[in-house]
Amino acid sequence: MLNKRLLIKNLLAHNDESSFYDKKRQLNLHTKEGKAKFLKHICALSNSNPANNSYIIVGVEDENNEIVGDDFFDDSKIQNLVNAYIDNPPKIQYENIPFPNLPKEKVIGLVTIKPKNKVSTFKKNIHTILANTAFIRRGSNSIPTEEKIPFSKINTETVISIENNSRNSIEHTLEGVLDFINNRHKDLYCKYKVFKELFVVCWAGIKKTNRKTVFYSRVDIELINEQVKLFYSAQDDVTISHDENSFIITEHIALGINDNTSYYPLEKLTITFFDNGYYKMNTQMLFEPPQYNRKMLHHIYNSTVSLLKKLEKKLPLSEIENKDVIKIPATLMICYLNNFEDCKLKLIESKDIFKNFHNPKVYIEFKEAMRILRKMKYN
């Protein structure tokens, strides 16, 4: 079993980016350009390493390998994005890895690209990449190629050596549990559960009961053995259940118009553990968007667009308008889910406005709305 934090350290220690790993400050999957860049690297790494795993590390400065972290990224549908654009797509996995020096809402992303024996090519155009294009790695660069790509095992021994030096130990597991409970979450309700005498899951949050159902907020859940953060949210309410073989996380979100909010189940994540030392994670989308009166929603939409225009022009806002800005991302998302087709584009185009607004909660709300829309798209 790999300790993913050790794996990241060992990859970063292996000189610079190479034909079996890449590093990024952050991923931008909101735009066609960002998606194209990500898919290009997936394609190139897969083609250059058909006999071993390849990796992309997210949240690291390119020049000096400084571990700066990135937002928790919980898009389990990222494989669907790869499948949609690439022929002979590799299996990939995105994991969130906590590091001691980072704020608890920041992680390092680890993309694992599994080996396969067929050449990956783009099956359709995206941004500036044309259909039928194949990419390979040349040092730290992903470049297009028209040549036949030979099957290569050139990196296999190096990658196996790095992975073997990243194996977990009882000491790492115990230190991880103690750090989670005693240091990082000493102000929250904490609990742990051991599965199959091998896997240790820790979770923390503010516990509350609503109509006999126990919810947790400010939730953090980790699989300690692999140093993988399974779930993190500073906002959402989550229910947790488990039996001898499975650990189940059901995420709920608060949505509404004009301060009338209700809780809606968003997604259920089930982690099943097996006796042979493996586990699998399955997600089930539960979200059914709330539907509103079209006339009322049209009025709210017009008011929201008007407020956005004032923000774009940097006009002074009234006290009420300043408070209403935080509602814009969720309102645009609700309008889009009620067939106001241009609202998603308006949301994306307003990213910098939300990011630079004096209240940081506005940008958090934007990222939350984009996360929900991304989940629904790939579902």
Side-chain angles (χ1 to χ4, degrees):
M1 189 178 296
L2 292 179
N3 183 307
K4 301 300 172 61
R5 187 187 297 168
L6 277 179
L7 176 62
I8 289 170
K9 289 181 177 179
N10 288 332
L11 286 169
L12 292 175
H14 189 79
N15 300 320
D16 207 343
E17 296 163 304
S18 69
S19 59
F20 61 85
Y21 99 95
D22 195 9
K23 57 189 176 184
K24 300 292 172 195
R25 176 60 185 84
Q26 62 184 12
L27 293 184
N28 177 15
L29 300 183
H30 299 326
T31 65
K32 289 287 186 183
E33 181 181 3
K35 289 176 183 176
K37 287 181 179 179
F38 174 69
L39 292 168
K40 177 181 70 173
H41 294 309
I42 294 288
C43 182
L45 287 164
S46 177
N47 288 336
S48 301
N49 298 281
N52 54 264
N53 289 334
S54 306
Y55 297 97
I56 300 175
I57 302 171
V58 182
V60 176
E61 291 288 1
D62 194 34
E63 293 183 359
N64 57 8
N65 276 1
E66 182 185 0
I67 294 174
V68 294
D70 199 6
D71 292 334
F72 182 91
F73 186 78
D74 69 342
D75 196 342
S76 58
K77 311 299 186 301
I78 198 170
Q79 179 73 58
N80 294 8
L81 173 64
V82 175
N83 294 349
Y85 284 94
I86 295 180
D87 264 330
N88 301 319
K91 290 185 178 179
I92 68 168
Q93 183 177 16
Y94 191 103
E95 296 172 298
N96 298 277
I97 316 301
F99 269 71
N101 62 314
L102 295 177
K104 59 186 177 183
E105 72 275 8
K106 296 290 183 180
V107 293
I108 297 297
L110 178 65
V111 181
T112 302
I113 304 158
K114 303 293 184 179
K116 56 148 189 58
N117 57 12
K118 291 184 178 181
V119 174
S120 295
T121 59
F122 277 77
K123 66 169 106 175
K124 56 184 178 181
N125 301 346
I126 179 171
H127 193 50
T128 59
I129 299 174
L130 301 179
N132 301 316
T133 304
F135 287 85
I136 57 172
R137 294 286 285 188
R138 286 284 184 266
S140 62
N141 296 315
S142 298
I143 61 173
T145 181
E146 295 181 356
E147 301 175 4
K148 185 177 180 181
I149 302 173
F151 187 89
S152 173
K153 293 186 177 181
I154 189 171
N155 293 316
T156 303
E157 289 188 8
T158 302
V159 174
I160 288 176
S161 175
I162 290 174
E163 291 175 343
N164 284 338
N165 287 325
S166 307
R167 297 290 171 186
N168 197 36
S169 67
I170 294 175
E171 181 180 10
H172 286 134
T173 301
L174 289 174
E175 287 177 349
V177 172
L178 292 173
D179 179 60
F180 186 93
I181 295 174
N182 296 332
N183 296 328
R184 287 187 287 136
H185 300 298
K186 58 186 178 182
D187 60 330
L188 300 175
Y189 173 88
C190 291
K191 204 168 181 180
Y192 70 88
K193 169 72 177 174
V194 179
F195 296 90
K196 302 297 181 181
E197 300 180 337
L198 180 62
F199 303 95
V200 183
V201 177
C202 286
W203 67 97
I206 298 175
K207 188 177 179 182
K208 59 183 180 181
T209 302
N210 184 3
R211 296 181 180 178
K212 298 183 179 180
T213 301
V214 177
F215 289 92
Y216 297 88
S217 58
R218 288 179 57 193
V219 180
D220 190 2
I221 304 171
E222 287 186 23
L223 177 59
I224 299 296
N225 310 66
E226 297 192 355
Q227 297 288 353
V228 173
K229 193 183 286 283
L230 299 171
F231 185 90
Y232 180 83
S233 175
Q235 296 176 288
D236 301 330
D237 286 321
V238 174
T239 59
I240 293 172
S241 61
H242 54 79
D243 54 30
E244 292 306 307
N245 303 313
S246 302
F247 188 85
I248 301 169
I249 307 159
T250 305
E251 180 184 359
H252 297 72
I253 56 172
L255 284 178
I257 296 291
N258 295 333
D259 298 325
N260 295 319
T261 59
S262 299
Y263 281 96
Y264 299 86
L266 176 63
E267 189 175 53
K268 180 168 73 173
L269 171 65
T270 302
I271 307 149
T272 305
F273 301 96
F274 300 95
D275 291 323
N276 60 2
Y278 288 90
Y279 66 92
K280 69 176 182 180
M281 297 195 293
N282 289 321
T283 57
Q284 178 185 358
M285 195 69 174
L286 306 175
F287 187 51
E288 295 185 5
Q291 300 298 305
Y292 292 93
N293 176 275
R294 185 84 180 177
K295 187 175 181 180
M296 178 194 73
L297 209 55
H298 208 279
H299 173 73
I300 293 171
Y301 167 80
N302 288 335
S303 299
T304 302
V305 171
S306 176
L307 182 54
L308 262 180
K309 287 179 179 178
K310 292 188 73 171
L311 288 167
E312 289 170 4
K313 296 177 181 178
K314 298 182 179 180
L315 299 175
L317 303 181
S318 68
E319 184 177 345
I320 293 176
E321 287 174 330
N322 262 300
K323 291 180 180 178
D324 285 344
V325 172
I326 198 169
K327 302 175 185 177
I328 293 178
T331 300
L332 288 175
M333 179 183 68
I334 289 172
C335 288
Y336 175 74
L337 295 175
N338 281 260
N339 300 316
F340 286 66
E341 295 296 336
D342 65 331
C343 284
K344 184 176 180 180
L345 182 60
K346 286 187 182 296
L347 185 63
I348 294 170
E349 290 176 341
S350 303
K351 176 183 177 180
D352 289 340
I353 293 175
F354 301 138
K355 193 172 185 177
N356 297 322
F357 194 70
H358 61 82
N359 183 352
K361 290 182 179 180
V362 173
Y363 188 54
I364 293 173
E365 291 292 332
F366 163 77
K367 291 190 289 185
E368 177 71 1
M370 291 304 304
R371 181 178 72 91
I372 294 168
L373 292 176
R374 196 168 57 241
K375 279 179 177 289
M376 295 192 68
K377 176 180 179 180
Y378 294 128
N379 202 54

